[in-house]
Amino acid sequence: MSTGAARATRSHARLSADFFAPQPTSAADLPDPVPLVRNLTGGVLEALAGVRDIDQLARWLTEDAYRALLTRVNLATRARSARGVRAARPVHTILSVHHSEPADGVVEAVVIVQGPARTRAVAIRLEGMDRRWRATSLALL
């Protein structure tokens, strides 16, 4: 292959990767993130409790966030199995949602959730991709 043809192939590959890769979206073109943060928090807690299939959350998560959550769900499932505990719907109350926008199209939120045994925090980072919010990071504290 000549150097000109190789250069054209690399240029075409870079152009198609840029075109087909997730496209960032401005916050002005996205809906209010708070309802998604609340619903995603409930879905994550239900998935960890074993009463929601993690695939139901996949469309709102990036691949890395999905894999990290899947690992945590699998560990929780094994722990319940080892203790002989059945999956049960978690009873929780969202006490507050705090969010900030460190950059255009990025929201970082912390949701304080009260359960019967303890109060927890769920940290979520949303980024606007392809005209919708997607969680790029989740942490249950």
Side-chain angles (χ1 to χ4, degrees), residues 13-81:
R14 187 177 40 227
L15 179 62
S16 64
D18 289 344
F19 184 73
F20 291 106
Q23 300 297 310
T25 303
S26 172
D29 298 329
L30 295 165
D32 179 21
V34 174
L36 174 60
V37 168
R38 287 176 166 275
N39 291 333
L40 194 55
T41 298
V44 166
L45 293 172
E46 290 173 355
L48 290 170
V51 296
R52 178 181 293 270
D53 187 6
I54 188 174
D55 290 338
Q56 294 176 352
L57 306 174
R59 71 179 307 225
W60 303 111
L61 304 171
T62 61
E63 190 173 334
D64 290 341
Y66 178 84
R67 283 188 189 147
L69 183 58
L70 180 62
T71 299
R72 190 123 182 220
V73 166
N74 287 338
L75 289 172
T77 302
R78 278 193 235 151
R80 272 193 312 278
S81 177

